[in-house]
Amino acid sequence: MMTLTAPADGPLARRTSWLVIPAALLGGLVAYMVIGSVASLVWMLLSGGSLSDLLDLPGGSIGLQALLGGNAVGLVLGLGLVGFLLARLDSSRPAVVLRLAKPRLGALALSVVGLAALQPVVLWLGHLNSTLPMPEFIRSMEQQQLELIKWIVQGDGLLMVNLVLVAVVPGICEEVFFRGYIQRRAERSWGVAWGIAFSGIIFGVFHLRLTEALPLCVLGLYMAYLVWCTGSIWVPITVHFINNAAALVLGRISGEDMLEPTAIPWPWVLLGLVVFAGTIGLLHFKRHAVHGSDGLD
């Protein structure tokens, strides 16, 4: 597969990335939150609920479903669409900017193996993160998200609908915005290594869950590496979908919150690291064989 270079011939391309990237992140976040909030309110009213249902989330499923649905709408219009529009303003070939290329099946399979190998490390980091001192107001702010996650996992909503809302929509929209546009722009201005690091860390911080920041950043860094290494955004989209869908489905089966911090034995963490390192090595070797490059600029 030949790597295509996106021409920087759009009106946004002439602006410095030190201005464009922060503005894009702020604009995307504000659009996501505003559109999501309005959509949640509309969703709730159309479902026969009232404003009190949205304010008293633990009290019933109507407000929780509306919040989940509104969040998905916010992701589509506030991140996915904004990411595509920014890519179009940056280049006459937005599909190339976003790396909407067909993935190689071998690289896709290796990426999924890497995700599986990374899970013990992610769970260990989640447990470590939960033990770090955290201001009480931050934990209180995250309580609403925890209520939503518990509601999704405990089976009060339709599984297929929730799979679309928590796995398909975030998998596509968050990747288009963070790995598609933000990372591509950062790579062009600051180099590949910094672009991967910036995209991965910003992705972790974006979720506004400081008690889970470490595992989220690690997953973000992995998916950022994947889009560069494979040249296709469909690879991190697939990995993102599988990660979210597995947490939901396994949670439904076990009846437990799969995102709950769990102490993982060291042998499993070390085994995961060894398999993950081997997977990264194979992915990098395949990239070198196809593209003739083995370094991060």
Side-chain angles (χ1 to χ4, degrees):
M1 181 178 66
M2 181 177 65
T3 301
L4 298 178
T5 301
D9 54 1
L12 206 59
R14 295 189 291 270
R15 306 294 182 181
T16 174
S17 292
W18 292 104
L19 173 64
V20 171
I21 291 179
L25 288 170
L26 179 61
L29 179 60
V30 170
Y32 158 67
M33 295 181 70
V34 171
I35 293 173
S37 298
V38 173
S40 294
L41 179 59
V42 173
W43 189 301
M44 180 197 59
L45 295 175
L46 292 177
S47 301
S50 62
L51 183 59
S52 61
D53 293 315
L54 199 59
L55 296 176
D56 184 26
L57 292 179
S61 63
I62 295 180
L64 289 168
Q65 186 67 69
L67 186 65
L68 184 61
N71 180 73
V73 174
L75 286 173
V76 172
L77 300 180
L79 290 188
L81 181 59
V82 168
F84 181 82
L85 291 176
L86 287 170
R88 182 65 185 86
L89 290 172
D90 214 63
S91 173
S92 59
R93 304 187 67 182
V96 179
V97 173
L98 300 176
R99 294 181 171 116
L100 296 176
K102 182 180 179 181
R104 301 191 307 277
L105 292 181
L108 186 61
L110 279 173
S111 299
V112 175
V113 172
L115 174 66
L118 196 58
Q119 289 308 300
V121 181
V122 168
L123 291 172
W124 178 79
L125 286 173
H127 179 69
L128 174 64
N129 205 156
S130 68
T131 64
L132 297 177
M134 201 72 61
E136 189 59 36
F137 78 91
I138 291 180
R139 296 187 183 276
S140 298
M141 287 173 57
E142 296 183 1
Q143 189 59 39
Q144 179 173 296
Q145 289 179 312
L146 293 176
E147 291 292 342
L148 181 59
I149 292 172
K150 289 178 181 178
W151 177 79
I152 294 171
V153 170
Q154 289 171 354
D156 292 332
L158 296 175
L159 178 60
M160 293 308 298
V161 173
N162 286 346
L163 272 174
V164 172
L165 298 180
V166 305
V168 176
V169 173
I172 294 175
C173 298
E174 291 179 12
E175 294 307 310
V176 165
F177 185 76
F178 290 104
R179 247 67 66 183
Y181 181 72
I182 297 297
Q183 180 173 334
R184 186 71 141 177
R185 179 77 193 225
E187 285 180 23
R188 193 174 75 205
S189 300
W190 306 331
V192 171
W194 283 109
I196 290 174
F198 182 79
S199 169
I201 294 172
I202 286 295
F203 171 80
V205 175
F206 162 79
H207 288 79
L208 301 178
R209 294 205 303 269
L210 294 183
T211 55
E212 298 176 12
L214 288 178
L216 286 171
C217 284
V218 167
L219 286 171
L221 288 167
Y222 179 51
M223 291 185 288
Y225 171 79
L226 288 178
V227 74
W228 169 79
C229 184
T230 66
S232 173
I233 199 172
W234 295 108
V235 175
I237 284 176
T238 302
V239 167
H240 197 148
F241 166 78
I242 291 175
N243 182 74
N244 289 14
L248 175 57
V249 173
L250 292 176
R252 285 291 180 94
I253 294 173
S254 66
E256 299 178 358
D257 181 4
M258 300 305 294
L259 299 179
E260 190 72 22
T262 305
I264 300 296
W266 270 105
W268 285 105
V269 177
L270 292 175
L271 178 61
L273 283 172
V274 170
V275 176
F276 180 72
T279 303
I280 292 294
L282 287 173
L283 283 168
H284 213 72
F285 173 79
K286 285 180 172 291
R287 184 186 190 280
H288 173 65
V290 173
H291 302 289
S293 173
D294 60 357
L296 298 179
D297 325 271

